[in-house]
Structure formats: structure tokens, C-alpha cells
Amino acid sequence: MVLLNSNRKNLGKVGLALGSGSARGWSHIGVIRALNEMGIHIDYIAGTSIGALVGAIYAANQIDAFEKIVLQLDWKQIIYFFDVVFPKSGLIDGKKVSAFVRKHVKGMRIEELFLPFRAIASDLNTGKEVVISDGDVIEAIRASISVPGIFTPVKRGGSILIDGGLVNPVPVNAVREMGADFVIAVDLNHDIVNGRGLHSSSFYNSRNREGTDKTNAISKALNDMASIASKVGIPYLAQIQSWIDKKPEPTIFEVLLKSIAIMERQITVTNLRNDPPDLLIQPRLGHIRLLEFNRAKEVIEEGYNEAIVATKKLC
């Protein structure tokens, strides 16, 4: 049980801020494992986007079981989560993702978690940061991961909530306001610009049968979108068909995610300069595509290794 490690260092109350970063977010699992092994007990946790997902799982004391699940994810399972609802306010409804997470946190509310937890979202109407501290934990996660244009927004208390990374990619302030004396922050996008270009995605360029099957699966998803569009007379049907007919190129998901990640990187630099954490962990993940959720093993290991190096500075 990783939440109850008694060999804690004399850091006072420790807060962990888990940043956004799509598939790179699996590295948070490795960071958490490393902190536990180094005897650093977490008192508060806040997360943005994928950080909110992993943070909630951790706060629910289900991180070990969750790690086993993500280590088994393959591209077929990833495609399964693409519950296309075009042409709503997002391409993916998110119900399948919610069902996946609900298996691990059951019907828990944020107030019932084993650790104080906050999820960061953005208010689409005001552009302000929204710190979710109560209510259904699944709704909070869905709001925090609602990447504009990809996931449909979440309506909560009269607000329309989207991805928290648009305002606060690494929520240092949230855990500090929760009462943390010592803040550990995990930034996943610091080397986003230096990573591989969009054109070189291993999700497409594999020459083996698996690579062909991946491309076919994505083509099927796009065909489904085209079918939906044709039934309701969408004028953009021709554009959707062009996505299907072109040679393998970055998908709309990759382009949107990469663009937002670059923006979030700039916001993170400014935020961390104005409100620096006491310990900053920056796994080297520039080579990991934002949709490569199937590469959990190496991503987790990188998070673990980087956290071990960083925490040794505290000794």
C-alpha cells in the first residue's frame, strides 16, 4: 500500500503536482513508485489532465492495480476508447474512458479518497482555472482531460469545463493552497519541441503487419465518422473522406494534442518561474508520441529513474 510508507523524510507536509502530457502521463506512476521507495510520503495531490487521472487513482489507493492494467494496453485497446460522436463539441464522448477509470475508483467522491485530491480544469466561458475539490471523481477527471476539439466538454455547476492544461499544466499552486510545506512537481512537456516530428510517428510508420493493422483501425474510425456525418448532412464530409484517402499522416488527434502541448509548455515555463516548486522532476519523454499509451513500460521507467535521481538531491 504505497500511501502508508512510514519512512518519511523531514520535509513537512508534502504536495505532489502532476502535470499534463497525454501518454507521457504514465511516467507519473513511476514517479510515485520512486517517491515511495525513497521514503517520501505524499500528503496532498493535484493533477492536470492525465495528471488528474493518475493522481485520482493514487489517491484512491489503486495505483498498483492500475499500473498492471496500463502495462497491458495495446493499440487495439487504445482505438476502443475512440467513441466518436462527431459533429458535437468534441470528436470523442469520453464515456468509454470514464467507464475504464470507474473500474478503479468505483463510485467514489473526491471527499472519500484516501488522500486530499484536486483536479484542475478550465472554464470555457471565463477562461479561468477551476480547481475541483469535491463531487464525483470521474466527472472531475473527465473535465480535466477534456482536450478542446477532441473530448466533449463537461458541464458542472453551470460551467462548461475543458482541459486544465490550458491554464495550469503543472498545478503547483493547487497543492500549495491545500497546505503543502514542500511541493514536488512533475513536468512532462519540457522537451516537447525537441521530440520527434509529427511526420515520424511510429504509430503509422511500422512496416510490419502490426503497423498495417494500426493504420486500418484508424481508417475504420475515420470511416465511422464519415458515415455519421453523411447521415446528418455534414458539409465537411469531403474533408473527412480526404483524411481516409491520404497516405498515413498525423491524425487530427495528434495535431491538436501537439499544438496544445506546445502552448502548455510555454505556460508551464512562466508558471514555474513565478511559483517554483521545491523539487521539479522532468522525465525525458521527448521521443514519446502523445498518443502512444501503449508504451507504458518505458514511460513509467523513465519517470521512476528521473524521480530517483531528483530525490537523491534531498539526501
Side-chain angles (χ1 to χ4, degrees), residues 5 22-23 58-59 62 101 109 130 139 175 183 207 231 243 247 253-254 263 278:
N5 191 318
S22 297
Y58 176 55
Q62 294 295 319
V101 179
R109 296 174 61 83
V130 176
E139 180 183 77
V175 286
V183 176
R207 296 180 182 233
K231 291 178 181 178
W243 297 342
K247 294 180 180 179
F253 304 104
E254 289 187 300
M263 178 193 69
D278 299 288

Side-chain angles (χ1 to χ4, degrees), residues 59-208:
N61 196 31
Q62 294 295 319
I63 197 70
D64 294 332
F66 188 70
E67 179 177 2
K68 293 178 182 178
I69 296 297
V70 302
L71 285 172
Q72 298 173 5
L73 281 178
D74 57 26
W75 63 266
K76 291 181 180 179
Q77 291 168 305
I78 295 168
I79 291 295
Y80 168 78
F81 292 118
F82 284 37
D83 47 348
V84 178
V85 292
F86 187 88
K88 289 187 178 180
S89 50
L91 296 175
I92 300 175
D93 190 55
K95 290 182 179 179
K96 291 181 179 179
V97 174
S98 297
F100 172 68
V101 179
R102 196 173 293 279
K103 292 180 180 179
H104 300 278
V105 296
K106 308 300 181 184
M108 298 182 74
R109 296 174 61 83
I110 292 177
E111 305 93 312
E112 299 170 341
L113 296 172
F114 292 93
L115 277 180
F117 168 75
R118 302 289 185 270
I120 309 303
S122 305
D123 189 317
L124 183 61
N125 293 323
T126 66
K128 294 182 179 180
E129 174 183 348
V130 176
V131 179
I132 305 175
S133 59
D134 57 20
D136 182 17
V137 67
I138 302 300
E139 180 183 77
I141 294 170
R142 266 285 288 116
S144 190
I145 68 172
S146 292
V147 180
I150 295 183
F151 282 101
T152 55
V154 171
K155 295 181 180 179
R156 187 177 193 270
S159 298
I160 299 177
L161 304 181
I162 56 175
D163 192 347
L166 298 177
V167 291
N168 194 358
V170 185
V172 171
N173 63 313
V175 286
R176 204 182 297 283
E177 291 170 3
M178 292 169 75
D181 302 306
F182 189 92
V183 176
I184 300 173
V186 186
D187 170 24
L188 305 179
N189 292 323
H190 68 102
D191 59 350
I192 184 71
V193 178
N194 298 321
R196 291 186 296 170
L198 284 171
H199 63 279
S200 61
S201 174
S202 64
F203 197 82
Y204 296 100
N205 292 343
S206 174
R207 296 180 182 233
N208 58 24

